[in-house]
Amino acid sequence: MSFVVCLILNLLMLISQAKVLNLSKSHQHLRYSSRLGSQDEDMLYCHRCPRFTRHQLNLLANPDLQLFYSSGCHSTELQLSCVSGMLVVEGAYFQPSNYQEKLNCSRVETHSRPILGQVEARHGDRDLQRELNRRCSGFTAATDCRYNLILDSKEARSWGPGIVKVWHRCVPGQDIQKKCGTEVRGRGFIMSGSYPKYYMGAQVCSWKINVNYNELVIVKVVDLQLEEASANCQDSLIVDRRVSMCGELGRKTMYMSDHGTLISFNTSTSHQYIYPRRGFLLEYITLTCYPPTTFNTFNLLFKNQTHATYKCIQGWVFNETESPTQSFLCAQSTVYGLPAACVAGQQQELVGPSTPSLRLSVSEGDRRNVTEVWMQEVLLPLVLLVFLLILSLAGLILLTLAKRHRMEEEHRTELQANTFTITTLDAYQHYKG
């Protein structure tokens, strides 16, 4: 009895940790498990992973990334091209303009201009990731992709005037993995076979993303379009056995993990062999930090996957925080916002550059997550353990009582049988006499 109860409780825990994201047009609002992630910016975290803003994630995942930028008015036909490799849409937005403001289309128009930087979006911009994925994702160097907001997006005709901004990358073929059963590490792309033309039915395919100790991995689902049957998702992309996605992706979704991650692609076994949908394209990015260690007035004190903490020499402080220690965002060997030097404790002069630092205090992150971690990893298991112990004791008591009751019944039955025999024998002897 107690074994059955334990099994039921374990199944309930597994179900509570499961996550289903239906990305179809009829299910635009993604459903998140409170234990697995946040609804902010479609970013999903593991339990022990630190939390970041979207801007910090872009800095961590895309340090000095080679991009191609295209922009123009709402009526401009943009030309996205790659000299080599496969075209991948990194970001696309529509920036509404005031009706009274006259747009200078010739001033903002540019096509596939190489830049070194980040995707920049303002508050209020409309995300065009899905529209650009439908039109341009997966194009090769043989052909250019032409996109016109008015012609390619019917709903955009009611948006009014504005500026379309698109960032794309040209990914070499050797950085893209589509062979099932492959183990990868570092940074690269995984996609379904024949993306973006179609995908095959009756597939059970998986890839393993390996990470070293003290590393994080970000899985960024760039594009997804799978077949679906009504509200049930027969074809799905599963990340880490905890996040399941189906339908069509509205905007990029990212998942962060602190261990090796398994990517699974399962399609239904039906009579249809080929599905006229794009399939999926995702990018995996390993986060690690190799910061410089020694400077004239401060030295490295601590580092983890995403931050480096430095300490000034005795009597000196960091100018911005007036503290002898400070943590900075770190990606590979790049430390963001690191000043040239500390300042004397009584002087508040900035010796280094005046650029404000981007940082996320490691101690603050730990304090923010300590309650959640304590609840999930200490209190909840303790409560379940006590509950299971009580159930086990109750089951043992019930089994003991049932056994005792059965033994008493057997003894009573045996006594009744013996009494009947003796009585019958006495009656027999009396009859003979």
Side-chain angles (χ1 to χ4, degrees):
M1 177 179 176
S2 59
F3 173 78
V4 175
V5 174
C6 293
L7 181 60
I8 293 174
L9 289 174
N10 289 331
L11 289 175
L12 291 175
M13 290 180 64
L14 291 175
I15 293 173
S16 65
Q17 293 178 354
K19 177 185 292 296
V20 177
L21 305 184
N22 192 321
L23 305 173
S24 64
K25 293 182 179 180
S26 59
H27 298 82
Q28 290 296 325
H29 299 285
L30 308 185
R31 297 191 295 272
Y32 294 88
S33 166
S34 60
R35 295 188 63 188
L36 287 179
S38 167
Q39 295 185 11
D40 297 334
E41 299 292 341
D42 295 352
M43 182 66 204
L44 316 175
Y45 297 92
C46 65
H47 291 171
R48 295 178 296 274
C49 294
R51 270 51 173 171
F52 302 97
T53 65
R54 173 64 65 172
H55 181 59
Q56 290 171 334
L57 282 172
N58 286 335
L59 292 176
L60 289 171
N62 306 317
D64 301 328
L65 194 63
Q66 177 65 64
L67 299 174
F68 296 90
Y69 176 66
S70 303
S71 66
C73 289
H74 56 284
S75 58
T76 304
E77 184 178 67
L78 301 181
Q79 181 177 341
L80 282 61
S81 60
C82 285
V83 177
S84 62
M86 187 181 79
L87 191 153
V88 175
V89 179
E90 187 67 22
Y93 294 93
F94 172 74
Q95 178 182 317
S97 176
N98 192 325
Y99 279 91
Q100 299 177 354
E101 178 184 352
K102 186 176 181 179
L103 292 176
N104 188 344
C105 296
S106 59
R107 183 176 61 86
V108 299
E109 183 173 348
T110 183
H111 303 276
S112 300
R113 174 167 57 89
I115 63 170
L116 196 64
Q118 307 290 330
V119 174
E120 299 177 358
R122 302 189 315 178
H123 178 71
D125 288 357
R126 293 180 179 267
D127 196 331
L128 300 176
Q129 181 77 34
R130 180 175 58 188
E131 285 72 13
L132 266 296
N133 282 341
R134 290 174 176 175
R135 180 65 177 163
C136 298
S137 183
F139 269 59
T140 60
T143 55
D144 296 339
C145 177
R146 298 180 181 274
Y147 176 78
N148 184 290
L149 178 68
I150 303 299
L151 298 179
D152 296 324
S153 303
K154 294 181 180 180
E155 60 182 13
R157 298 171 184 174
S158 61
W159 295 351
I163 299 174
V164 179
K165 301 177 291 183
V166 180
W167 293 261
H168 76 272
R169 298 161 60 185
C170 300
V171 181
Q174 61 267 24
D175 293 342
I176 304 174
Q177 182 61 251
K178 56 183 178 181
K179 183 180 179 181
C180 293
T182 305
E183 295 190 7
V184 296
R185 64 172 59 248
R187 179 168 189 159
F189 286 81
I190 298 175
M191 72 179 189
S192 55
S194 303
Y195 175 89
K197 299 176 182 178
Y198 59 88
Y199 69 89
M200 311 299 293
Q203 290 190 78
V204 179
C205 197
S206 62
W207 298 262
K208 179 67 180 297
I209 304 173
N210 295 319
V211 295
N212 297 324
Y213 174 74
N214 203 32
E215 289 183 342
L216 296 174
V217 61
I218 290 180
V219 177
K220 180 166 60 175
V221 183
V222 180
D223 187 21
L224 177 75
Q225 187 189 43
L226 303 178
E227 189 77 13
E228 58 181 331
S230 65
N232 298 323
C233 299
Q234 297 184 357
D235 302 340
S236 61
L237 177 68
I238 304 172
V239 180
D240 214 11
R241 294 193 179 96
R242 306 170 74 182
V243 181
S244 179
M245 307 179 191
C246 61
E248 184 175 21
L249 186 72
R251 56 181 179 177
K252 286 185 293 186
T253 298
M254 293 193 284
Y255 174 80
M256 179 181 289
S257 175
D258 60 351
H259 55 79
T261 302
L262 182 67
I263 306 297
S264 301
F265 181 50
N266 301 327
T267 61
S268 61
T269 56
S270 65
H271 64 280
Q272 189 168 348
Y273 188 61
I274 296 178
Y275 291 93
R277 299 289 186 270
R278 293 191 304 275
F280 78 90
L281 173 68
L282 63 83
E283 183 180 12
Y284 58 91
I285 306 159
T286 300
L287 299 182
T288 187
C289 175
Y290 302 109
T293 58
T294 305
F295 294 86
N296 291 332
T297 57
F298 57 90
N299 300 308
L300 180 67
L301 178 65
F302 169 80
K303 76 176 183 71
N304 60 12
Q305 303 98 322
T306 57
H307 287 82
T309 302
Y310 288 90
K311 182 177 182 180
C312 298
I313 60 177
Q314 184 69 31
W316 292 61
V317 296
F318 287 101
N319 184 75
E320 183 179 356
T321 60
E322 300 182 7
S323 171
T325 60
Q326 187 170 340
S327 297
F328 301 89
L329 203 64
C330 174
Q332 304 297 331
S333 59
T334 302
V335 181
Y336 295 97
L338 191 65
C342 295
V343 298
Q346 301 301 322
Q347 281 184 305
Q348 298 304 322
E349 298 179 0
L350 183 61
V351 180
S354 59
T355 304
S357 62
L358 274 170
R359 67 187 189 279
L360 178 64
S361 173
V362 176
S363 60
E364 290 179 1
D366 292 341
R367 286 196 299 269
R368 183 171 60 252
N369 295 331
V370 66
T371 303
E372 179 183 355
V373 173
W374 187 81
M375 288 287 292
Q376 295 175 355
E377 299 187 5
V378 178
L379 182 60
L380 182 60
L382 182 61
V383 171
L384 289 176
L385 182 61
V386 173
F387 183 64
L388 292 176
L389 181 60
I390 294 174
L391 287 179
S392 299
L393 290 175
L396 183 61
I397 293 173
L398 290 175
L399 289 175
T400 304
L401 294 176
K403 185 176 180 180
R404 178 179 299 178
H405 179 72
R406 186 176 65 251
M407 292 178 63
E408 291 178 353
E409 287 291 335
E410 292 177 352
H411 182 66
R412 188 179 299 109
T413 302
E414 183 178 356
L415 289 177
Q416 291 177 355
N418 292 336
T419 303
F420 175 78
T421 302
I422 296 173
T423 304
T424 304
L425 182 59
D426 292 342
Y428 177 74
Q429 291 176 350
H430 178 72
Y431 172 76
K432 294 291 288 182

